[in-house]
Amino acid sequence: MSAVIVEKSEARKIKSNGFISKFGALIGLIILCTVLTILSDNFLTVDNVMNIARQSSINALLAIGMLLPILTAGIDLSVGSILALSIMMMGIVSVNHGLNPYLGIVVCLGVGALLGWTNGIMLTKLKLPHPFISTLGTMNIARGIALIITGAAPIAGFAAPIQFAGNQFVGPVPFSFILVIVVYILFDIFLNRTSTGRYIYAIGGNKETARLSGINVNKILVIVYTLSGLMAGLAGLVMVGRVNSAFPLAGMGYELDAIAAVIIGGASFFGGVGTVWGTLIGATIIAVLRNGLNLLNVSADFQMAIIGLVIVAAVYVDVLRQRSFKK
Amino acid sequence: MSAVIVEKSEARKIKSNGFISKFGALIGLIILCTVLTILSDNFLTVDNVMNIARQSSINALLAIGMLLPILTAGIDLSVGSILALSIMMMGIVSVNHGLNPYLGIVVCLGVGALLGWTNGIMLTKLKLPHPFISTLGTMNIARGIALIITGAAPIAGFAAPIQFAGNQFVGPVPFSFILVIVVYILFDIFLNRTSTGRYIYAIGGNKETARLSGINVNKILVIVYTLSGLMAGLAGLVMVGRVNSAFPLAGMGYELDAIAAVIIGGASFFGGVGTVWGTLIGATIIAVLRNGLNLLNVSADFQMAIIGLVIVAAVYVDVLRQRSFKK
Amino acid sequence: GCASQGGGSSAPASSDKGDKGGSSGQKPKVQVVLKTLSSPYWKYVEAGAKKAFQDLNVDGTVTGPASESQILEQVNMLEDALNKKPDALVVAPTQPSTAIPVLKKYKDKNIPVLLVDTDTADWADKTSFIGTDNATAGKKGGEYLASLLKSGDKVALIAGALGNPATDERIKGAKEALEAKGMKIAANQPADSDKAKAMSVMENILQNNPDLKGVFAANDDMALGALRAAEAKGLKIPILGTDGTVESIESILADKLGGTVAQNPYEMGYKGVENAVKAIKGEKVEKRIDSGVEVINKENAQKKLDFLKSLTK
Amino acid sequence: MGERDALLELRGINKGFSGNQVLKEIHLDIRPGEVHVLLGENGAGKSTLIKIMTGAYTKDSGDIFWESNKVEINGPVDAMNLGIATIYQELNLIPELTVYENIFLGRELKKNGKYSLLDRKTMRLKAEEYLKQLGQDISPDAKVSTLGIGQQQLVEIAKALTINAKLIIMDEPSSSLSESEIEQLLTTVMELRKQGIAIVYISHKLEENKRIGDRISILRDGRKIETLSMAETDTEKMIQLMVGRSLDEKYPKMNFQLGEEGLRVEGLRLKNSSKEISFTAYQGQILGFSGLVGAGRTELARGIFGVDPVAQGKVYVFGKEVKIKCPEDAIKAGLAFITEDRKGEGLILDQTLEFNITIANLKKLKKNKFLYKDKMKALANDYLKELQVRPGDITAQARKLSGGNQQKVVIAKWLCTNAKVFIFDEPTRGIDVGAKVEVYRLINSLVQDGAVVIIISSELPEILGICDRILVMNEGQIVDDMLREQADQEKIMKSATRGN
Ligand SMILES: Nc1ncnc2c1ncn2[C@@H]1O[C@H](COP(=O)(O)OP(=O)(O)OP(=O)(O)O)[C@@H](O)[C@H]1O
Ligand SMILES: Nc1ncnc2c1ncn2[C@@H]1O[C@H](COP(=O)(O)OP(=O)(O)OP(=O)(O)O)[C@@H](O)[C@H]1O
Ligand SMILES: [Mg+2]
Ligand SMILES: [Mg+2]
């Protein structure tokens, strides 16, 4: 038989019932916000909340893309590099060659999706044993190309339409935040109300059962990695808007933050478990934490240590909550 | 029952029979070496082979530690940071406070093991859902502390006994290489010829079955992460010997190289599959690659892209080999 | 170690004051954002800034991301700092172009912005730039290395992580200077500013070029790693670093490292804050202040070392 | 109640899962050297009860006595230390380890003393010995992942034999074995009993229970109804006590009108095999596949359904040739395949029943391109009712159902695809007698509605009871083809073992 039994941790088993468990990390987030509001006068201000909304947007977009591979029991290590190559290509097209900015946006998203698609193809057609390998490869290759094509130089001076997503405000609300919400709603619909979405959960739950139920597993996996790449491109677009420049080291190490957001949000590495809104909460926790530590003037070394502690604590709160919930 | 069936990719199923499949990546390594021998006169010289042996040693030690968590379907992201904190503590004890160098070595290994033990405890006692979280926490915490305790300053001037492991030669052979071989042999015996070793495989294969068979899963997991931390400490000792200084950013990003070595060496993220010697080959592939690119004076930007390609290629060769082997 | 983290001499934030001029009796509030605080070089900048806080009675803070690769993190820090309503900003932008949008926001709120260490080429609204550019530092290093060798000698360059503007600029400057003096660049390899990696890279370079005559590395850590590899081969050639850290100067004094290019990080920090205070008070500040760059070798090393050690006392 | 000489005695055991009371005040005593049968419908609580004895679960309340001493069993180790060995209903083997490693898992033999190296040689030899005892020559060095389900079950049994147990608990050990292996198993059980070892035996096969049981305890809805000596019970009574009513007939056979050719397989050869297979299944004629474990029936079905690669051969569905390269093609062609391994290939354990039931049929459950949730819920509810799945809650997690109820969910999943050709591989494995009848009725109504039904079963009475035509397989080939009227147990067994 080609199936193998893998146990899932206690915590996972309990998950999955009802509303509360869907918003596992929410309690952690609320505690965190309460503490920061007490510690800093500047935390709970409109300005600062909007700051957080903007700052979380890039990671939130990467994380929602990352949720899909993780739901299928995979991973995508290449999102940071895909982001970089996407924006460098956009820079070349729309700044260096001065072509239409909308074409630039298409290139940015297109390159992201294309690289993601390549990840999917490597996994399913080359049959590499785990997406860790294919996406680790892409991570290096895409970053290398991003460096090569511009000689490691940054590109600045993007046209307004390109900057829009990352730079515009609608009233006091940053457009990037609205974009994140729209994207999350779309993903929620996609994952819960379409057959492809269900297939993603099914593959993560049990690939063999999924295949025997007539699901074209390879096709779905390619879609999954393509979407993850597309989201990396979109995150890149937002980033370019924010800083009005594209640089080849952009997004370095972002995959870890994205994965952390997904896992803090309650998804499981073993696949099949995880929600869109949990992921958003995970991304928000990370952004709030960073912002709060900056406001409190915590130095970088202490920030590191504290971030580590809070990541563990946030998840632990969730574990405790579920345990009491179970009783 | 809390067991869940997870399908394993084709490649995995086939693996596992006989001698050949144990040395999956070996063919990739041979191809790589052949190509480099043709391209560079300096590649296949005693000096250079010894160079590679030395240069691979740090990653080889981290990788053999990393093999254990991966065998249990876990991961250890904290090894790079553990390495840093271990050597900074050793520096403080034996350089800043001028205490006995052997005490310094004990501290280095002890801190590594202790941090690894903490990872294990967080996973099993706090019941965090996946080691990704606990070790991501430790990764940040340990790095933060390493920076804090010395104000980001490096420590130099270690005594000879501390430098021995990383700096000494036995004839033309670097001692660190001998150390690696000894450690690998010990791990081979440990994993294959002791019950604890077999339990590690069993837990990775099916945690619930392991539990029902009377295996103390939590105890074994704590051992696994403690050993991984201990190896990080040992790798740190070798590093200090090599560069005669301890610096708080040491080992940054090394976890990815270690994981890559384990996976290139044929282990599975789903646990239960992977060998000691495969891991050594994986670590060697990475070292040979880096060395070869230096010898060929490949420019920095191309290095990244090529490393990515070779990682994919090395694993793909393995997939192809197994496919033909199956026929 | 250096003076520790946190507020340094500054008292806990002196709370809301409406005016931005700093002309009320309140202490002026100066925010310093560096590329990172996790390396000795930036610790010196921090030390300089903190000394200035003390001397000039400033309510100041120094922050920076955990590493120089966290570019967007620095932008976030600048945004967050804006919410704390400082009277002036002193910043060392890691990737200058990315910082401009947020620096413009400071300008919009009439907060003077002073750049240290790294200049923004295409943003004219800065109050001042204090430092030397990295290309110049690299050039000086290259020229000094060339002066120790003769035309046609083989030299190697060890770069930081590709795409890091600071180390890239240094290598570029050094390369130009070395080539101008007729040196042959035998290798140009990256070692990610990591000592252990630099050692491996140097071992491999020596494998190909046993007749190497000199090395320039984009920072001191990499120079020390390369030195270690050369020593293991019994090779005694001039190896130059950049930054002027205590470890490297001690190595110079021990007759090991050939030299290092020091950019006066302490001065940058001090002058950055000093001029920020001037700007807050409405005094005239020069657009460009050269904090100087010097090559440290055996002759001037002791003096420099004494100075650096005095900082950390 | 319990006698003084009881080996294991349970008093007032209660157990619930998040509010759902599964065991209610259970009293039970097991005597040394007896075979004690536990019987009950799917979900009655048998597996839960034995898991409390083995330490896999902890009880909510009640007392456990071992040789008249009160004991606490807090984990599998406690049970093992007492001398309790267990064969769980769901296989508990590590696929990546070898047979002998699995057999000795958790109590490896060592060279000298607790901290020394493993004595692999002795373990290998002993493993071989135990397997021989079960009439098997499985190599002790084979990886478990390369064994079929039946062989894995035997390894599991061998594993229990290695413990020097006073009590061996067997939860449906025979459900994935065929007649001859079951014979071996029963012989082994008798042998153990002779040695004074007590056995708790769970099976839905009543004749088997009757043959080996000394006493029988019947559970219904988490309560123990009665404990009787086997001598005073017959199968009728067992059913009566278990279901609360008597069953009119165990095999509700209907006579159908022979219809069109439905599925025709011509010269099908699997990769890695040299044998070609051809057969035809018709409407109105239930086609049964019999044979020993490993005869190749499952492999054939997998080949037809596109699960495993096929080297050559043609498949026709209602006269039209179809190219099937993957299960997706098969489903499009109107096939359904109810697999034998429900956990590995049938269910997604962490998902809800609704999810599992609808997953193979989502394309037809859409309204304006989006999933039609109301219809999905209604559909799932209908099937749960029809198949009497307990709990009948579509939001329950599949993992939490009893084995037999899980099997019903898998069947529901395929019923809902509206396929024209159904291949059932061991469809009633682990299903209680009452529910079996429901499954047979369902199959009957499928046939009546014009579907083609193929049943692979290792249970001869089942094959004989509901199939109209029987094909017997042996070593990857069809060796016999008989109509129901001509078939009997002996004839089938003879063909199945020919050449063995
Ligand atoms: N882990 C669990 N969580 C929640 N409910 C459970 C769990 N395990 C079992 N149950 C419930 O307990 C009841 C009894 O299940 P059990 O497995 O003991 O039945 P069984 O008598 O062995 O049935 P079968 O003959 O189908 O194996 C079922 O209703 C089942 O849904
Ligand atoms: N995954 C596998 N890997 C290797 N061999 C297998 C595998 N599955 C089955 N086999 C072998 O293939 C042969 C045919 O097995 P198959 O499962 O088709 O038989 P079956 O008649 O359906 O019996 P069963 O009752 O065991 O399902 C057997 O010898 C079996 O051991
Ligand atoms: Mg049961
Ligand atoms: Mg079968």
Side-chain angles (χ1 to χ4, degrees), chain B residues 42 163 241-242 245 294-295, chain C residues 186 189 195 203-204 208 228:
Chain B
N42 296 316
Q163 289 198 44
R242 250 174 90 72
S245 91
N294 285 155
L295 288 188
Chain C
Q189 295 283 291
K195 205 180 272 176
E203 285 168 349
N204 297 337
N208 259 1
R228 187 93 171 148

Side-chain angles (χ1 to χ4, degrees), chain A residues 128-201:
Chain A
L128 297 189
H130 193 278
F132 190 92
I133 295 294
S134 39
T135 61
L136 182 67
T138 309
M139 170 174 156
N140 281 291
I141 297 169
R143 178 77 62 194
I145 298 176
L147 285 162
I148 293 169
I149 51 174
T150 58
I155 298 175
F158 286 88
I162 289 178
Q163 290 200 44
F164 189 89
N167 201 27
Q168 216 52 45
F169 282 79
V170 179
V173 184
F175 178 75
S176 59
F177 177 67
I178 298 175
L179 180 68
V180 165
I181 297 300
V182 171
V183 166
Y184 270 67
I185 291 174
L186 289 178
F187 266 79
D188 191 34
I189 295 172
F190 170 63
L191 281 174
N192 293 310
R193 317 232 26 178
T194 72
S195 49
T196 308
R198 286 229 158 179
Y199 293 162
I200 290 172
Y201 280 96

Side-chain angles (χ1 to χ4, degrees), chain B residues 1-5 8 12 16 192-195 198-199 201-202 205-206 209 211-215 272-273, chain D residues 51 56 76-77 80 88 92 94 96-97 101 105-106 108 110-111 117-118 120 143 159 343-344 349 399:
Chain B
M1 292 283 64
S2 57
V4 153
I5 313 250
K8 309 210 169 174
R12 274 211 60 199
S16 82
N192 291 311
R193 319 225 25 182
T194 72
S195 50
R198 297 323 287 171
Y199 294 166
Y201 281 93
N206 186 338
T209 298
R211 187 178 79 89
L212 291 175
S213 301
I215 295 171
V273 177
Chain D
K51 280 180 189 164
V77 181
M80 279 176 209
Y88 291 98
N92 268 290
I94 312 281
E96 296 304 333
L97 297 186
E101 283 175 328
L105 188 64
E108 288 77 5
K110 311 220 172 138
K111 283 188 172 135
L117 297 182
L118 297 174
R120 298 193 283 193
K143 290 243 151 125
K159 184 174 167 186
K343 288 206 165 171
L349 290 172
R399 177 188 301 286

Side-chain angles (χ1 to χ4, degrees), chain C residues 51 90 145 182 209:
Chain C
K51 184 71 172 35
V90 177
L145 181 60
N209 307 284

